[in-house]
Amino acid sequence: MGRLDGKVAIVTGASRGLGEYCALGFAREGAKVVIAARSTETKDPGLPGTIYSTARLIEEAGGEALPVICNVADAESIESMAEQVIDHWGRIDILMNNAAIQPPGGNVDILPKHWELQFRVNVHGTYHCIHSVLPTMLKQGSGNIINISSAGADWLQPTPYGTSKRAVEALTAGFANELKEKGVVVNSLKPTAIIETPGYLYAQVPRKEGEVDANEFPPPDSYVEAATLLALQTTETFTGRVHNDAE
């Protein structure tokens, strides 16, 4: 406990799922956490969670949280979010680019509007979020950026989602190379296995008898610990890397 004392961490897509788990994990380690997401109310019971509910969980546990409405498909919304963080806490130490979408369809049959939206969120959103925090991190001479990828990026024949995550991994390597001498760490993290989240469960069709139930999937503990370890790295110890939580 306390490994992130004094740090200010932004987690996008933190209203539910892995973003929420990591936001809580960072807070337990002493970080002040910005909950950056679009969800301000639960419109579908199958997708519970808002920026306010995550902030409340952190505060009930004794931490500090700042819920900020942010649409990562909109560069102006991202810039406004970063400005609010600076106005409120005066610094940004950690950025976790977690927000992502996975529309239905393969490379052949995905709707063009869904293809473009997926890249606008998963890839362009990651790019703009990094650029929104860079002025502060460069002024500080330090910062830690964690871009969330997926096992899908490892597939020899990736889906559109996997393709967008390969692009995120390429962004990670490119930014890390250019920022290494300036004190800013950039790494990419992906779960080693499917983790039960509201978003994953929402996308599942009813299971037949004998099929694996979501409750048999591993808990998020390893993933959250890996995110915490990445948030502790320096450019001398670990940057420009793409790993799953087990690695």
Side-chain angles (χ1 to χ4, degrees):
M1 304 296 283
R3 288 179 289 176
L4 300 178
D5 279 349
K7 303 290 187 181
V8 173
I10 297 172
V11 182
T12 67
S15 57
R16 66 178 67 92
L18 295 177
E20 178 192 278
Y21 302 152
C22 288
L24 289 168
F26 289 166
R28 283 194 295 269
E29 293 293 345
K32 301 173 182 177
V33 185
V34 180
I35 313 304
R38 292 186 306 160
S39 299
T40 59
E41 59 180 318
T42 299
K43 297 180 179 179
D44 188 324
L47 288 172
T50 69
I51 57 175
Y52 305 116
S53 62
T54 300
R56 185 166 57 251
L57 289 172
I58 289 173
E59 290 166 353
E60 288 173 351
E64 294 185 62
L66 176 65
V68 179
I69 300 170
C70 180
N71 178 5
V72 299
D74 182 342
E76 291 185 2
S77 179
I78 292 170
E79 194 63 37
S80 173
M81 178 272 295
E83 291 173 358
Q84 290 179 65
V85 177
I86 293 299
D87 289 343
H88 192 77
W89 277 323
R91 63 182 298 118
I92 299 171
D93 300 286
I94 301 162
L95 167 66
M96 172 177 272
N97 282 307
N98 168 77
I101 61 169
Q102 185 175 4
N107 292 292
V108 172
D109 57 0
I110 187 173
L111 295 177
K113 66 177 183 180
H114 287 164
W115 173 274
E116 293 172 6
L117 176 61
Q118 181 168 248
F119 273 77
R120 194 155 68 244
V121 172
N122 300 0
V123 183
H124 302 166
T126 295
Y127 169 86
H128 287 300
C129 282
I130 292 173
H131 271 269
S132 76
V133 304
L134 271 185
T136 300
M137 290 185 173
L138 292 175
K139 183 179 179 180
Q140 295 167 178
S142 65
N144 203 302
I145 297 167
I146 305 169
N147 299 322
I148 302 306
S149 184
S150 165
D154 295 335
W155 299 347
L156 293 177
Q157 297 176 321
T159 63
Y161 180 73
T163 300
S164 74
K165 289 301 186 178
R166 279 194 178 188
V168 168
E169 293 181 1
L171 279 177
T172 298
F175 273 108
N177 181 59
E178 294 180 32
L179 295 170
K180 186 171 184 178
E181 301 304 318
K182 299 178 181 180
V184 179
V185 178
V186 190
N187 288 298
S188 186
L189 172 66
K190 48 193 170 185
T192 189
I194 294 171
I195 298 172
E196 181 179 357
T197 66
Y200 175 79
L201 296 178
Y202 188 81
Q204 300 311 296
V205 296
R207 295 180 179 277
K208 297 178 182 179
E209 185 177 354
E211 289 185 326
V212 176
D213 185 82
N215 290 327
E216 297 180 37
F217 294 140
D221 305 47
S222 172
Y223 183 86
V224 174
E225 174 64 11
T228 301
L229 292 174
L230 287 180
L232 292 167
Q233 301 309 307
T234 68
T235 53
E236 289 76 26
T237 61
F238 201 89
T239 192
R241 308 286 283 275
V242 178
H243 287 295
N244 63 42
D245 52 287
E247 292 167 332

